[in-house]
Amino acid sequence: MSGPHLFPVRVYWEDTDASGIVYHASYLRFAERARTELLRAAGFEQWNLLAETGIAFAVRRCEIDFRRSARLDDQLEIDTRVTAIGGASLDMSQAIRRNGDDIVTLLLKLACITRDGRAARMPSDLREVFNAIKAETASHAA
């Protein structure tokens, strides 16, 4: 990867309310897809990660700022960045954009957990990948 991870999303009827405006929970789904694709681009599929290491990521905290509304058929782009790496956690920022303008921003803390929901240290190979992603995204201004 080079720079931030960018993931395109088209707004469909299922993402909107009765007026064609994106329903607030849809932004969380868009952001989740982008984080999943960031992991995939880094060589880690979530199901395999769980099967091979017994760990997964869960959202521990999410702060979301709704600045503007997206509408039916809008083409959006989600910019995902790793901002901090802890022993069993990962901080990320995500910006959902339309035509280059931020419409929704998210700040997240993800917890590395076992199948039974207990905190777990992040595997070293995954930590190395996230450190590389963090370094790459830090070198590109938002």
Side-chain angles (χ1 to χ4, degrees):
M1 283 178 39
S2 171
H5 181 263
L6 303 175
F7 179 70
V9 172
R10 172 76 64 189
V11 175
Y12 298 111
W13 276 114
E14 66 191 26
D15 304 316
T16 65
D17 62 16
S19 65
I21 295 173
V22 172
Y23 181 67
H24 73 279
S26 294
Y27 295 107
L28 294 171
R29 287 194 307 272
F30 299 158
E32 176 73 28
R33 289 179 204 156
R35 291 190 308 275
T36 297
E37 293 305 320
L38 169 72
L39 272 176
R40 188 183 319 271
F44 294 93
E45 303 227 3
Q46 290 193 49
W47 186 249
N48 289 339
L49 188 61
L50 181 62
E52 294 171 9
T53 67
I55 65 110
F57 288 98
V59 174
R60 181 167 181 256
R61 183 178 336 131
C62 178
E63 178 182 320
I64 186 166
D65 186 11
F66 299 96
R67 298 174 180 194
R68 293 180 186 86
S69 297
R71 297 183 179 275
L72 178 65
D73 220 26
D74 278 352
Q75 180 66 45
L76 307 176
E77 183 176 68
I78 297 98
D79 175 331
T80 303
R81 296 167 188 255
V82 175
T83 57
I85 303 163
S89 67
L90 184 65
D91 291 352
M92 299 181 104
S93 67
Q94 292 185 282
I96 301 175
R97 297 186 177 118
R98 179 184 51 226
N99 299 324
D101 295 326
D102 289 359
I103 60 171
V104 174
T105 56
L106 300 96
L107 298 175
L108 300 112
K109 179 172 283 295
L110 303 177
C112 188
I113 61 171
T114 62
R115 284 188 171 95
D116 62 0
R118 296 180 192 264
R121 292 201 59 78
M122 194 179 311
S124 60
D125 57 339
L126 189 55
R127 177 182 306 285
E128 288 174 22
V129 167
F130 282 131
N131 274 319
I133 291 169
K134 182 179 179 245
E136 273 294 316
T137 58
S139 68
H140 291 78

